[in-house]
Amino acid sequence: MYAGFHRNLIVSVVVTSLFHLLVFFAGAYLVFQLGILPDVLGDLDEPLPGWLLVLSRPEPAFLRIIALAGIACALVFAVLANLGVRKLYRRTDSAELLFLMLFCLSLCLEAWRVANLVFPTLGLSQYLNVVVTRLVLFSRFFGLLCLLVASLYAVGMKYVQYPVLIGGMAVLAFALAGVLPLDTSLYEPTFLYKLGDRQGYLFVRLILGLLTIVNFVVAARTRRSRRFAVAAAAALLLFAGRELLQYGIAPLPVVFGTVALIIGFVVSVRQIVIFYLGF
């Protein structure tokens, strides 16, 4: 019944991932070609631990390179990850793998952060920068919702109306991104407008991450399978990796975030292969 949906989904995920990779490279080219530097360094809404910033330097040129490198790592990871598992998804139709692919796809929207450097230089409306900031916030909420829904399937959810479920998740993510107040007079070092409600944003992300881990732990206990305990650790790595990369303003968060994403993804896929294919 859903064969066409699965086939179209794979094509859409791959094409969208590659499109955003091109968007990023085009944006990065303009940034260097036009000599654009971040106007305001400022501070992060949620400061990173000092030890993660030991190799950072308070220079716009350095920030530009590191932030772009972090975005590039997220995009390359997302593209390679989805290209790597598309055949496995055809073989298993695994709901967990479906939402893992969508989580990776959500990383691609980080490419639009570059637009917040380019648009003001081109004299475009400030409204576009607001749209970009909310689009990136949407992608972050949607990615966390994907991990949460994957964990719900681990505890036994059987819902297979995937288009309806994904649409509902997208609406919820847009709503969460849309209600957050923005301070359009200040940029973060991540090229996004500062948030007016830092605590609310942090609270929602932590709750979504915590619920995901709890669901996998519950699945490990109720289904008496160590696979789900390993999946909980993998989800934690995916969550931590994304958090580090989205605040990648220094070398260590970029490196650790990328490594965490890779390990979390490989472990997750390995558990799916064991469960569905038995090897």
Side-chain angles (χ1 to χ4, degrees), residues 24-183:
F24 168 74
F25 283 125
Y29 172 79
L30 287 175
V31 167
F32 286 103
Q33 187 72 15
L34 300 175
I36 303 172
L37 292 174
D39 291 328
V40 181
L41 292 183
D43 297 316
L44 286 173
D45 275 337
E46 299 160 28
L48 293 170
W51 63 272
L52 283 174
L53 302 176
V54 293
L55 299 179
S56 64
R57 296 204 305 266
E59 301 171 4
F62 181 80
L63 171 63
R64 178 180 64 179
I65 292 174
I66 294 301
L68 291 177
I71 298 171
C73 287
L75 285 165
V76 171
F77 163 79
V79 171
L80 294 180
N82 280 333
L83 284 174
V85 299
R86 68 188 190 282
K87 291 183 179 179
L88 176 62
Y89 180 63
R90 290 195 187 100
R91 295 175 63 186
T92 63
D93 286 343
S94 160
E96 295 98 322
L97 187 56
L98 164 63
F99 288 100
L100 184 60
M101 292 172 64
L102 292 177
F103 167 80
C104 293
L105 180 64
S106 72
L107 290 169
C108 292
L109 272 70
E110 296 286 333
W112 292 102
R113 283 159 51 191
V114 182
N116 273 358
L117 287 179
V118 176
F119 288 165
T121 304
L122 298 179
L124 300 179
S125 170
Q126 185 186 47
Y127 178 74
L128 291 175
N129 296 75
V130 174
V131 171
V132 166
T133 298
R134 295 203 184 280
L135 180 63
V136 174
L137 292 174
F138 156 78
S139 74
R140 294 173 180 178
F141 284 127
F142 185 77
L144 293 178
L145 287 171
C146 288
L147 293 181
L148 176 60
V149 171
S151 72
L152 290 175
Y153 281 97
V155 294
M157 187 171 81
K158 302 296 184 182
Y159 191 77
V160 295
Q161 300 286 340
Y162 296 131
V164 176
L165 180 57
I166 294 169
M169 291 164 55
V171 170
L172 177 57
F174 269 121
L176 290 171
V179 299
L180 286 173
L182 299 178
D183 182 353

Side-chain angles (χ1 to χ4, degrees), residues 5-18 105:
F5 166 77
H6 294 305
R7 182 171 56 253
N8 293 335
L9 177 72
I10 293 172
V11 173
S12 298
V13 166
V14 172
V15 170
T16 304
S17 300
L18 293 173
L105 180 64

